[in-house]
Amino acid sequence: DAKTTQPPSMDCAEGRAANLPCNHSTISGNEYVYWYRQIHSQGPQYIIHGLKNNETNEMASLIITEDRKSSTLILPHATLRDTAVYYCIVRPDLGAGGTSYGKLTFGQGTILTVHP
Amino acid sequence: DTGVSQNPRHKITKRGQNVTFRCDPISEHNRLYWYRQTLGQGPEFLTYFQNEAQLEKSRLLSDRFSAERPKGSFSTLEIQRTEQGDSAMYLCASSLAGLGPREQYFGPGTRLTVT
């Protein structure tokens, strides 16, 4: 699986947009970009995923560059409850063959702190 | 609540004892994963089941670890002869089977402390 690079920490003011970057320069054509977050002492929570196009759901937006070598997770109006560790993960399509069974490979993530 | 559940939530044991954790996935999910997370690190994959078949095991899963999913529903993870290095959060996740992207839903975890 491709490796990802994220800043170790970021701050954001409550009510403002939080933009979390992720580099995945070795991503291959069949690999999706996933974002999960982990609030203290809880299990990781799925946020969003994408392949090529930008994606939006009720939690966040995902912007993937045209060359797919980097992406940005956007929380449009951050709240104090968004304080968490955010993980960017690259994973092959489960239909890609081989022995990919969909396991997630987590890095260190970005600690996002939302301030009042 | 129809999410992934794990029991117990916390377990304190003495070195050398055996422990067993249980995971109940979301009912229609065929895929089940176990991960381990130590302090300050992201979760690390341990093993994967599709229905009752254990299809992948990490090298992290030493001989002292065994996982089962006997009827393709709940799963258990047993650690024999626990060591202090086994202290960690053990996380279970489940997802739907089939092709294409499949997000995983995680349980709250079981925190193991080996004294």
Side-chain angles (χ1 to χ4, degrees):
Chain A
D1 296 357
K3 188 178 173 68
T4 62
T5 304
Q6 300 178 251
S9 63
M10 294 184 64
D11 291 336
C12 179
E14 190 177 20
R16 305 299 292 266
N19 297 288
L20 291 92
C22 179
N23 285 323
H24 31 79
S25 58
T26 61
I27 193 170
S28 58
N30 67 348
E31 290 183 315
Y32 285 78
V33 179
Y34 286 79
W35 283 83
Y36 284 75
R37 73 179 182 184
Q38 189 172 23
I39 295 169
H40 183 61
S41 296
Q42 297 183 20
Q45 176 190 24
Y46 165 80
I47 301 173
I48 198 167
H49 72 272
L51 183 63
K52 296 180 185 177
N53 301 319
N54 299 337
E55 302 288 344
T56 296
N57 63 19
E58 65 278 4
M59 289 183 68
S61 294
L62 174 59
I63 308 298
I64 303 174
T65 58
E66 192 169 346
D67 63 8
R68 303 210 323 121
K69 293 185 177 182
S70 66
S71 60
T72 301
L73 179 74
I74 301 172
L75 307 179
H77 305 287
T79 70
L80 299 179
R81 287 177 294 180
D82 291 322
T83 292
V85 181
Y86 286 77
Y87 297 100
C88 169
I89 299 166
V90 171
R91 194 186 84 178
D93 181 349
L94 295 178
T99 57
S100 170
Y101 294 117
K103 68 186 178 190
L104 297 170
T105 302
F106 290 81
Q108 300 276 59
T110 295
I111 301 171
L112 174 68
T113 304
V114 181
H115 296 286
Chain B
D1 189 302
T2 57
V4 178
S5 62
Q6 293 187 248
N7 287 289
R9 294 292 308 278
H10 303 273
K11 178 71 176 178
I12 300 173
T13 191
K14 293 186 177 179
R15 190 176 50 156
Q17 298 294 304
N18 299 346
V19 294
T20 300
F21 311 139
R22 177 178 169 128
C23 170
D24 287 88
I26 295 172
S27 59
E28 64 268 25
H29 285 185
N30 302 75
R31 297 175 186 262
L32 188 146
Y33 304 82
W34 285 98
Y35 294 84
R36 180 173 70 184
Q37 185 173 26
T38 54
L39 205 60
Q41 303 297 314
E44 296 174 291
F45 169 77
L46 291 178
T47 191
Y48 160 71
F49 289 86
Q50 179 152 336
N51 299 312
E52 66 276 8
Q54 188 174 21
L55 297 183
E56 188 174 2
K57 292 195 289 187
S58 163
R59 284 171 290 182
L60 293 175
L61 213 65
S62 76
D63 292 344
R64 296 184 298 105
F65 287 70
S66 63
E68 294 182 340
R69 194 181 183 199
K71 297 182 180 179
S73 56
F74 72 92
S75 176
T76 58
L77 178 68
E78 180 182 17
I79 309 174
Q80 296 182 327
R81 305 181 303 282
T82 53
E83 301 172 357
Q84 287 189 320
D86 297 331
S87 295
M89 176 78 86
Y90 289 84
L91 293 159
C92 175
S94 70
S95 74
L96 286 168
L99 302 179
R102 292 278 184 258
E103 57 266 31
Q104 292 180 22
Y105 295 86
F106 283 80
T110 294
R111 182 166 295 285
L112 173 66
T113 302
V114 182
T115 62

